[in-house]
Amino acid sequence: MAPVEFKLFAPYNKDAVLIGSFSNGKDIPMEKGEDGYFRAQVDLNDGRHDYKFRVQSKSFFLEPDQWIEVIDPRASHVDESNQAAVLCIKDGEPTVDDYVWHHDDKALPQNEDLIIYEILASDFSGGEDDANLRGQLKHITEKLDYLCELGINAIELMPIQEFPGEQGWGYNTHHYFAVESAYGTSEDLKHLVDECHARGIRVILDIILNHSGSEAPLTKIDYNYWYRSEPKDPEQNWGPEFDYDHYDENLNLCPAQEFVKDVLHFWITEYHIDGFRFDAVSQMGHFDFLGQLTDETSKQAQPKPFYNIGELIPESPDATNLEGPLDACWRDGFLHQLLPMLWGDETDIETVKDLVDAKRSGYQGAVNAINYLSNHDHDRLMVQLANHEIFDEIAFKRAKLGAVLVMTAMGVPLIWMGEEFGAYQPKTLEPAKIDWSLLKNDRNHDLMQHYRSLINLRKDNYALRTENVEFFYDDPESKVLAYIRWNDEGSRVVVVVNFSNQYLADYEVKNFPQGINWHEWISNYDVEVHDGVWVTDLPEYEAKVLV
């Protein structure tokens, strides 16, 4: 046996005790120090031990000093069925697990090179014959070879920190240091990250710093010490909001800030995470503190690259620029402006230019903007098209055009799981497992191959990873636009887009860049340009990509 210390930070609560599988049902007194921590020391054998705290609450919704049971807010394992934290002891020391990392020495892609694939663990894979069977982290690991073949080099996991119940998206976090038990174990997550790194795939974690679930331990211990008494924006409120302005003069600290710093440090050091996607940054506010977080996480991850992404609605490109706190933000305007053009609304060529050249919207660098056709917050493109009576071959053609815009626009592309082969499940909080059998269909498989080809195009041509965009031809009446992407080492990619519903035969694309032999990438044929004019057929809602 070895002495193990249990501690609970509750500086203004009157009393707390420890209860555990090792205490024979009796309370173990805890003593509070001047640093605000209650502590108790217990001799324990190696193995698993369940425990919880009983504390006199200071939260306004309970009786004054009411005794309540809470799970350790810093527990790395949680047993929801038993409403207890789980402590693992090995060689006399607390440990998360005994996983051994194998691929920490692998080189990982830089931020500008990323093609991100967003995943909800429960709906991604696993038990394909049973749509209601919950997917787990191990099933993502099983699909990594598919993602590699597609060309993906970063996955963005929707929240995987412990939340209540067995089904959900995870945006009501209760336990910030624990892996959602329905998704698997801590070893399962580490194995996934390790196998990703072995394949040169980075792992970005979607994390919620704006708010907690309503029954999170900190809400019950001392609500007003950790959370705002009133939401910042009642119309955009999803739970108790951390109070990052609260400063404890007695202890000389901002408790919510220190807690969140520890959370991020834990996931980087314990799970080797390569980036964060911060949810609801606009509601979180406090950009100065957010800037501290991004600086610290990048330093903690060195020498590996790190990516800090924010969700800001409405968009705020300034948050990603020189004085901004973030490396990038989700570019929701890209989706909202592009989709109506894909389903046939009036196309404005100047708007298309804004989408392709993110600098026109205020983004300064190529890594600052994340572009996408869909994500977990929106219906998939196939659903949107179907809602506008666009089906079958026409729908797949529009999907291909959308993919070209995402992959050739300035910024980092993101693919919502299944989008690359035409998944059609509508947005829902209920189980909605991806139908992988769609890949057996010619059209779905062809769309996936189209995505794979475009991803290879990005990887082979550094021009698409710069902020350089020039529009050399536009024809607003015919809804045709041509632009070139380039870098200073000679990489050049030209895209010609027909956004009309008219087949344009023998169309003349003028001012075409000369002095090079061009090759059409998608259909694989050489192109002849004479005196700056390329004569070609431009089918309706189709793009040509030349290298």
Side-chain angles (χ1 to χ4, degrees):
M1 300 185 78
V4 175
E5 182 180 73
F6 292 81
K7 62 181 184 178
L8 172 68
F9 184 68
Y12 298 101
N13 297 71
K14 285 186 177 180
D15 207 355
V17 298
L18 170 67
I19 312 167
S21 54
F22 41 78
S23 68
N24 296 319
K26 296 180 180 179
D27 293 347
I28 298 174
M30 304 184 75
E31 183 175 344
K32 184 159 65 173
E34 293 183 0
D35 59 357
Y37 280 92
F38 286 93
R39 290 179 171 85
Q41 189 167 285
V42 182
D43 290 333
L44 294 178
N45 292 316
D46 282 5
R48 167 190 164 127
H49 305 275
D50 294 356
Y51 73 99
K52 63 183 74 174
F53 298 117
R54 290 183 66 237
V55 61
Q56 288 186 277
S57 172
K58 285 184 61 63
S59 296
F60 65 89
F61 52 84
L62 295 170
E63 295 296 324
D65 297 327
Q66 178 178 336
W67 284 95
I68 58 166
E69 291 186 354
V70 295
I71 298 173
D72 184 353
R74 292 175 176 266
S76 58
H77 299 280
V78 172
D79 182 351
E80 271 205 322
S81 63
N82 196 30
Q83 284 299 294
V86 178
L87 180 66
C88 299
I89 304 294
K90 183 178 181 181
D91 299 329
E93 296 290 337
T95 183
V96 174
D97 53 54
D98 56 4
Y99 185 84
V100 177
W101 294 89
H102 297 284
H103 303 294
D104 272 351
D105 60 339
K106 299 293 184 179
L108 297 174
Q110 298 298 312
N111 293 343
E112 63 266 23
D113 300 328
L114 297 183
I115 299 98
I116 304 173
Y117 193 89
E118 189 189 17
I119 294 175
L120 172 60
S122 59
D123 285 349
F124 179 62
S125 179
E128 268 68 24
D129 295 332
D130 184 351
N132 293 313
L133 187 64
R134 188 184 189 91
Q136 296 185 317
L137 296 167
K138 64 183 181 182
H139 300 127
I140 302 175
T141 306
E142 292 169 359
K143 286 286 187 183
L144 289 183
D145 288 343
Y146 163 81
L147 294 178
C148 269
E149 291 172 6
L150 182 61
I152 298 302
N153 57 17
I155 61 171
E156 183 176 301
L157 298 174
M158 286 175 64
I160 57 169
Q161 295 161 307
E162 187 79 52
F163 58 84
E166 293 296 311
Q167 175 64 37
W169 285 0
Y171 291 97
N172 54 340
T173 307
H174 277 197
H175 305 285
Y176 283 84
F177 294 82
V179 175
E180 167 58 39
S181 53
Y183 289 168
T185 65
S186 60
E187 292 98 328
D188 290 336
L189 177 58
K190 290 180 179 179
H191 183 57
L192 169 59
V193 175
D194 212 9
E195 289 299 312
C196 281
H197 289 171
R199 294 163 173 80
I201 298 174
R202 287 171 59 182
V203 180
I204 299 167
L205 180 61
D206 195 340
I207 196 165
I208 300 88
L209 304 184
N210 172 60
H211 59 277
S212 299
S214 58
E215 295 292 314
L218 295 179
T219 68
K220 296 186 282 188
I221 294 170
D222 191 346
Y223 189 100
N224 286 345
Y225 188 73
W226 296 100
Y227 302 97
R228 293 187 180 116
S229 57
E230 299 289 340
K232 181 180 178 182
D233 180 358
E235 294 184 2
Q236 300 289 331
N237 174 246
W238 302 282
E241 297 175 356
F242 281 114
D243 186 354
Y244 293 114
D245 293 310
H246 177 219
Y247 174 69
D248 186 334
E249 294 184 355
N250 294 328
L251 296 177
N252 189 29
L253 55 81
C254 293
Q257 291 191 19
E258 294 304 314
F259 179 79
V260 163
K261 286 180 183 179
D262 290 347
V263 168
L264 299 189
H265 179 73
F266 174 80
W267 288 93
I268 292 172
T269 55
E270 188 67 37
Y271 290 99
H272 300 196
I273 295 300
D274 306 301
F276 292 115
R277 182 265 190 187
F278 299 123
D279 182 68
V281 170
S282 303
Q283 285 66 43
M284 175 184 169
H286 227 291
F287 276 17
D288 288 344
F289 173 55
L290 191 61
Q292 294 177 34
L293 293 179
T294 58
D295 288 343
E296 291 182 11
T297 54
S298 296
K299 291 176 182 176
Q300 289 164 7
Q302 289 180 350
K304 296 196 304 179
F306 204 80
Y307 206 20
N308 285 295
I309 304 166
E311 178 198 33
L312 294 102
I313 300 176
E315 277 181 62
S316 179
D318 289 345
T320 69
N321 294 337
L322 292 177
E323 301 301 320
L326 297 165
D327 298 319
C329 74
W330 274 20
R331 196 180 170 201
D332 238 35
F334 187 95
L335 172 152
H336 286 298
Q337 291 177 300
L338 178 58
L339 261 57
M341 291 188 275
L342 292 178
W343 66 57
D345 284 2
E346 186 62 30
T347 297
D348 175 55
I349 290 298
E350 291 303 311
T351 299
V352 180
K353 291 180 180 179
D354 292 342
L355 300 182
V356 171
D357 186 356
K359 295 190 299 296
R360 291 167 59 112
S361 300
Y363 296 94
Q364 291 184 355
V367 300
N368 299 146
I370 309 287
N371 302 319
Y372 43 82
L373 293 175
S374 185
N375 59 42
H376 70 266
D377 279 328
H378 301 281
D379 270 324
R380 300 178 186 278
L381 176 59
M382 285 301 182
V383 175
Q384 301 265 17
L385 293 173
N387 290 341
H388 291 81
E389 304 297 318
I390 298 173
F391 304 101
D392 301 327
E393 184 177 349
I394 297 175
F396 280 90
K397 191 171 185 179
R398 306 285 174 92
K400 285 184 174 182
L401 176 58
V404 169
L405 270 293
V406 169
M407 293 297 169
T408 64
M410 170 189 161
V412 173
L414 177 143
I415 302 169
W416 172 224
M417 60 181 193
E419 194 74 41
E420 77 278 9
F421 58 81
Y424 56 84
Q425 295 89 341
K427 183 182 74 171
T428 173
L429 291 174
E430 300 302 314
K433 190 74 65 67
I434 288 179
D435 183 2
W436 289 94
S437 68
L438 290 174
L439 280 169
K440 299 175 182 178
N441 301 331
D442 290 343
R443 284 175 181 160
N444 298 88
H445 190 267
D446 179 58
L447 179 58
M448 183 272 290
Q449 294 283 34
H450 179 74
Y451 266 90
R452 179 188 291 176
S453 177
L454 290 170
I455 291 170
N456 286 332
L457 175 74
R458 281 189 66 91
K459 290 183 172 181
D460 290 346
N461 294 273
Y462 193 83
L464 295 175
R465 309 199 292 277
T466 71
E467 64 272 11
N468 300 328
V469 183
E470 180 184 346
F471 302 100
F472 64 84
Y473 178 81
D474 63 59
D475 179 356
E477 184 175 347
S478 297
K479 298 183 176 60
V480 174
L481 176 68
Y483 54 93
I484 183 170
R485 306 288 314 280
W486 79 94
N487 76 340
D488 295 334
E489 284 73 48
S491 175
R492 298 202 289 177
V493 176
V494 162
V495 182
V496 181
V497 185
N498 177 8
F499 263 104
S500 77
N501 60 2
Q502 301 297 316
Y503 188 102
L504 305 175
D506 295 327
Y507 188 87
E508 294 186 352
V509 181
K510 301 176 181 179
N511 305 319
F512 208 94
Q514 299 186 68
I516 193 171
N517 296 319
W518 292 100
H519 183 84
E520 208 287 326
W521 179 272
I522 296 175
S523 298
N524 190 24
Y525 61 90
D526 292 333
V527 166
E528 293 185 1
V529 177
H530 299 286
D531 298 325
V533 178
W534 178 39
V535 180
T536 185
D537 292 343
L538 291 179
E540 62 277 15
Y541 287 101
E542 194 167 296
K544 306 282 189 181
V545 179
L546 296 88
V547 297

